[in-house]
Amino acid sequence: MTELRDRIIIFDTTLRDGEQSPGASLNVDEKLTIARQLARLNVDVIEAGFPYASPGDFEAVQKIAQTVGEESGPIICGLARANRKDIEAAAKALKPAAKGRIHTFIATSDIHLKHKLKKTRQEVLAIAEEMVAYAKSFVEDVEFSPEDAGRSDPEFLYQVLERAIAAGASTINIPDTVGYTTPSEFGALIRGIKENVPNIDKAIISVHGHNDLGLAVANFLEAVKNGARQLECTINGIGERAGNAALEELVMALHVRRQYFNSFFGRPAESEEPLTQIDTRQIYKTSRLVSNLTGMFVQPNKAIVGTNAFAHESGIHQDGVLKHKQTYEIMDAQSIGLTDNQIILGKLSGRHAFANRLKELGFELSETELNNAFLTFKAVADKKKEVTDWDLESIVNAEIQQPPEIFRLELVQVSCGDRARPTATVTLRTPTGEELTDAAIGTGPVDAVYKAINRVVNVPNQLIEFSVQSVTAGIDAIGEVTIRLRYGDRIFSGHAANTDIIVASAHAYINALNRLYGALHKQKSQSETPATPVAQS
């Protein structure tokens, strides 16, 4: 465990806490796609989900354990409340992983004990000890979290942590569950744990925090100075309420300012040795993938991965950067994978060259996905003189995010103008193979397309978000469209890319409707054939 204290362990919880962002629900295939990219990013731990929460979460954790959890890959972690059924479900889902971790938790703050758990401190002490030991009977690697540690009585917290470590927890995670603490307070909390928990040397100290006051990253960096060696974070900082500490901000802060942080690891100040094992060149690609799949766009001025992060509008800044980048840039855009927008393929490029370039970009596609992506590439290359890496990433991301094809868009045609009523005609192929055509008038061309599609599909839904983003500059740029639909209390997302925004909008809508229709069909099948709850099987 000593070598793990010489650097920072990056624990990514995008697929668990990040998915708890309102409207950011992911299906199993989408989670698997993100997990593969997190493995390329080289995170140490992937918290893949909460297996007992639902059959879907159980399946996602199990599939990630099977496909990403090889010996050379990251640790695959499943969350479990401090009870036997949760822990059993997590153990079963994690079984295929070469390195599985059960992360169990129970609240320790008086406000949670009184109003949520309705238990005494002594009862919580006993539960924590018993359930950590129970988790240890399934896996060697057990993590324990005292929920709402930031508002817990320190003396009681020390007792709980001592018991949990004695019972077998090798990682002790300290959550600022409600984003309440300030950096100096959080640093003091970690320092107090190091000084007052007798057996703390037998465990790694981890931190988890929310950004309700905009202090999550600052809190974590202060925790690192005081002995924390695992950081629980998410891509783009997504998560409950105001989100989690952002992985890309933490990693790049430790990278850019490593001379400052080196002393806290006992290293010479001038050491260039990385403080994490993250492949920073994968950061931008991972950010875009998570943004596209969750439908949560990154704000332009977001640190590290926002579109304005390396943009300069001021004449003084532009002049300085042209003379020497470090006058106004503290990091190289290429260090996060944001490369120059170079032409790499054209309409005469063959399938082999296309496949090789995708492999260089880090994509692993099935034969079917590759064939479909190549056809899309050819269509784009016919319309664009310059096809860039960003274009290719957009094409491939749109392809690998496709849901099972139930309804298929065969034709979309729009008529609009400042003196005309926007009208759309669409033709869809239905699940039975029948082609149906309908038309509708809307407030605009996209509204008309969606109304026409709804007339054919006839599945009630509410459009709650429509977002368009340009992949590259220029009049012929690929536009990415992400939409989210609500059906009852569930939300379904769709994503598509095309040089024609209307066409991209239609495909994104069909993608979301296919997910919605597929979920309804699956729900109907399950109701007709009752199954044993997965956590008890």
Side-chain angles (χ1 to χ4, degrees):
M1 196 175 290
T2 304
E3 68 278 5
L4 293 180
R5 291 193 175 92
D6 292 340
R7 65 173 178 86
I8 291 295
I9 300 163
I10 297 297
F11 177 113
D12 184 275
T13 184
T14 302
L15 298 175
R16 202 278 300 170
D17 202 324
E19 200 209 5
Q20 291 174 208
S21 301
S25 181
L26 299 164
N27 62 34
V28 174
D29 290 337
E30 290 166 337
K31 282 192 169 188
L32 193 54
T33 297
I34 291 175
R36 287 192 178 112
Q37 181 57 31
L38 291 173
R40 294 187 197 104
L41 183 63
N42 214 26
V43 302
D44 298 280
V45 186
I46 295 176
E47 188 166 51
F50 189 169
Y52 189 77
S54 71
D57 240 27
F58 181 94
E59 182 186 0
V61 174
Q62 190 174 56
K63 277 198 172 181
I64 291 169
Q66 289 169 343
T67 58
V68 184
E70 64 268 24
E71 187 64 43
S72 60
I75 294 167
I76 308 300
C77 177
L79 186 69
R81 291 166 298 185
N83 67 60
R84 289 180 178 268
K85 288 183 178 180
D86 275 37
I87 291 169
E88 288 163 8
K92 185 174 180 180
L94 293 167
K95 197 169 184 180
K99 297 175 290 187
R101 173 185 295 185
I102 294 176
H103 178 191
T104 189
F105 70 96
I106 191 169
T108 53
S109 69
D110 288 335
I111 192 169
H112 276 237
L113 265 62
K114 180 180 179 181
H115 298 289
K116 188 179 81 169
L117 296 181
K118 302 189 187 306
K119 294 184 183 298
T120 65
R121 289 185 175 186
Q122 288 305 311
E123 287 175 314
V124 166
L125 271 173
I127 291 169
E129 186 173 29
E130 180 187 357
M131 290 302 107
V132 167
Y134 189 57
K136 192 78 171 179
S137 70
F138 292 101
V139 294
E140 186 61 29
D141 189 355
V142 176
E143 177 171 334
F144 172 74
S145 288
E147 187 183 7
D148 204 23
R151 295 189 296 176
S152 297
D153 172 36
E155 295 302 324
F156 176 55
L157 187 62
Y158 303 152
Q159 294 178 50
V160 175
L161 297 179
E162 182 182 357
R163 294 271 196 102
I165 295 169
S170 51
T171 300
I172 293 297
N173 180 52
I174 310 303
D176 182 16
T177 304
V178 293
Y180 180 72
T181 61
T182 63
S184 59
E185 289 173 321
F186 202 55
L189 177 61
I190 302 304
R191 186 167 60 253
I193 289 167
K194 280 189 67 89
E195 293 172 352
N196 293 285
V197 178
N199 52 358
I200 195 64
D201 61 311
K202 295 180 180 177
I204 295 289
I205 299 178
S206 171
V207 288
H208 178 106
H210 286 262
N211 205 36
D212 298 73
L213 296 176
L215 297 172
V217 169
N219 284 346
F220 277 30
L221 294 176
E222 196 66 24
V224 167
K225 290 162 60 177
N226 285 279
R229 290 297 177 263
Q230 176 176 283
L231 305 180
E232 302 201 355
C233 43
T234 62
I235 301 298
N236 300 333
I238 66 172
E240 292 245 35
R241 303 184 313 279
N244 287 259
L247 179 148
E248 62 278 1
E249 295 177 24
L250 289 165
V251 168
M252 293 311 292
L254 292 167
H255 176 73
V256 172
R257 299 302 312 278
R258 57 190 177 279
Q259 279 72 32
Y260 171 76
F261 285 101
N262 276 336
S263 63
F264 299 102
F265 293 80
R267 300 180 181 186
E270 66 276 8
S271 173
E272 292 293 326
E273 187 72 19
L275 291 172
T276 76
Q277 67 172 15
I278 293 295
D279 181 355
T280 62
R281 294 165 300 175
Q282 295 287 334
I283 285 176
Y284 186 73
K285 182 189 299 179
T286 312
S287 168
R288 279 179 52 80
L289 178 65
V290 170
S291 174
N292 288 339
L293 285 177
T294 59
M296 301 182 71
F297 279 121
V298 176
Q299 67 194 63
N301 63 327
K302 167 75 169 63
I304 315 299
V305 292
T307 54
N308 291 352
F310 295 93
H312 302 274
E313 178 123 355
S314 162
I316 295 173
H317 285 217
Q318 290 172 347
D319 179 64
V321 169
L322 288 172
K323 290 174 178 174
H324 195 289
K325 279 190 175 184
Q326 289 186 351
T327 54
Y328 288 102
E329 288 186 359
I330 61 171
M331 69 189 92
D332 188 341
Q334 292 185 358
S335 67
I336 65 164
L338 194 59
T339 57
D340 290 336
N341 201 14
Q342 299 174 345
I343 304 169
I344 48 91
L345 291 174
K347 65 179 182 180
L348 299 179
S349 300
R351 185 178 180 281
H352 183 67
F354 177 74
N356 279 346
R357 186 55 189 152
L358 293 186
K359 190 173 182 180
E360 289 172 7
L361 291 171
F363 290 106
E364 297 175 11
L365 274 64
S366 68
E367 195 67 20
T368 300
E369 288 173 337
L370 180 61
N371 290 337
N372 291 339
F374 183 63
L375 291 174
T376 304
F377 158 71
K378 280 293 191 180
V380 170
D382 278 335
K383 298 174 183 177
K384 290 195 68 174
K385 293 180 181 179
E386 302 177 353
V387 181
T388 68
D389 283 354
W390 290 0
D391 292 325
L392 289 178
E393 288 181 11
S394 180
I395 290 168
V396 174
N397 284 334
E399 176 57 39
I400 61 181
Q401 294 165 31
Q402 294 293 319
E405 194 171 66
I406 300 171
F407 291 97
R408 178 179 174 181
L409 184 67
E410 298 289 350
L411 175 143
V412 57
Q413 185 174 311
V414 170
S415 172
C416 62
D418 64 343
R419 304 288 182 184
R421 300 186 71 184
T423 306
T425 301
V426 300
T427 299
L428 301 183
R429 187 179 296 277
T430 70
T432 61
E434 182 183 9
E435 283 195 5
L436 296 178
T437 299
D438 214 324
I441 295 172
T443 56
V446 174
D447 183 52
V449 168
Y450 287 0
K451 284 179 176 175
I453 291 173
N454 279 335
R455 286 169 66 92
V456 175
V457 176
N458 197 28
V459 175
N461 65 84
Q462 179 188 3
L463 178 66
I464 60 172
E465 186 174 326
F466 173 81
S467 303
V468 181
Q469 185 173 9
S470 175
V471 176
T472 55
I475 195 69
D476 60 353
I478 286 181
E480 292 181 334
V481 175
T482 299
I483 65 111
R484 291 195 283 177
L485 305 177
R486 176 179 284 125
Y487 178 89
D489 60 351
R490 298 186 64 182
I491 293 174
F492 301 88
S493 63
H495 178 83
N498 198 284
T499 52
D500 187 320
I501 287 297
I502 303 300
V503 174
S505 300
H507 280 291
Y509 199 63
I510 290 294
N511 290 348
L513 285 171
N514 279 337
R515 288 189 170 93
L516 192 164
Y517 191 88
L520 291 180
H521 184 72
K522 183 177 181 180
Q523 185 179 344
K524 183 180 178 183
S525 300
Q526 289 175 342
S527 65
E528 290 172 354
T529 311
T532 304
V534 93
Q536 299 176 4
S537 58

